[in-house]
Amino acid sequence: MEHGIEPVFDGRSRVLVLGTMPSPASREAAFFYGHPRNRFWPVMAALFDEPVPESNAERADLLLRHHIALWDVLASCDIRGASDASIENARPNDLTRILDAAPIERIFCTGATSARLYQRLCEAECGMPAVQLPSTSPANAAWSLPRLVEAYRPVADAVRPFLS
């Protein structure tokens, strides 16, 4: 499967958040974290005390206003459904596309698979370690929304100095 969703970033992005690969629901929505029960967007909204964005344009705007870039580690892979555990033949995205265009200071990965693949396939070229965050997937039911918000607090802390 090919990725197919363009990254969200601009020249003011200071933090890069990386998932693994778009789920079938995300591909259908043509944007990241498109499954209606995924908690990524409620977490981002809570971090910045904003309403949960509903449209793709509102989601991109929330990220860009807070100097956050968003993409995925993988450009393509073989995957069954949305199961990260089934990933084979992984090929990474060219993250230098973002790193060359924006002053990224921190990288965060949403989940263990994203972090493991970033470390294996991207870290040497990017020259920056990534911080592993818990998955916001509905499959990660052990993590409540308040607990996820606290786990993601380092993302907000990393961009806070750049917010006006």
Side-chain angles (χ1 to χ4, degrees):
M1 178 192 44
E2 294 292 321
H3 189 283
I5 301 174
E6 285 295 306
V8 175
F9 71 99
D10 65 17
R12 300 178 319 129
S13 299
R14 298 297 186 124
V15 165
L16 173 57
V17 177
L18 295 168
T20 305
M21 189 75 181
S23 69
S26 294
R27 290 191 306 273
E28 185 175 316
F31 207 71
F32 305 94
Y33 304 101
H35 192 286
R37 289 192 340 231
N38 191 297
R39 292 157 302 166
F40 182 83
W41 297 111
V43 166
M44 289 291 113
L47 286 175
F48 300 106
D49 195 28
E50 294 196 19
V52 177
E54 298 296 327
S55 70
N56 293 346
E58 289 172 353
R59 292 169 178 161
D61 180 64
L62 172 74
L63 295 171
L64 295 175
R65 281 187 292 106
H66 294 286
H67 306 280
I68 298 171
L70 181 64
W71 209 12
D72 287 311
V73 172
L74 298 182
S76 68
C77 67
D78 296 329
I79 186 171
R80 287 186 300 283
S83 171
D84 282 357
S86 74
I87 290 174
E88 296 178 341
N89 303 315
R91 186 175 59 81
N93 268 317
D94 179 8
L95 300 179
T96 61
R97 178 175 170 192
I98 296 172
L99 298 174
D100 289 348
I104 299 295
E105 296 181 7
R106 301 277 310 271
I107 298 176
F108 295 91
C109 291
T110 62
T113 302
S114 173
R116 186 179 69 253
L117 289 167
Y118 173 83
Q119 185 178 28
R120 191 176 90 214
L121 301 173
C122 305
E123 187 173 318
E125 182 176 1
C126 293
M128 192 179 312
V131 174
Q132 179 182 323
L133 300 170
S135 172
T136 57
S137 165
N140 187 14
W143 283 76
S144 67
L145 180 59
R147 190 172 169 210
L148 284 169
V149 171
E150 283 311 305
Y152 276 67
R153 183 88 37 216
V155 174
D157 292 344
V159 297
R160 201 162 315 286
F162 308 105
L163 301 178
S164 42

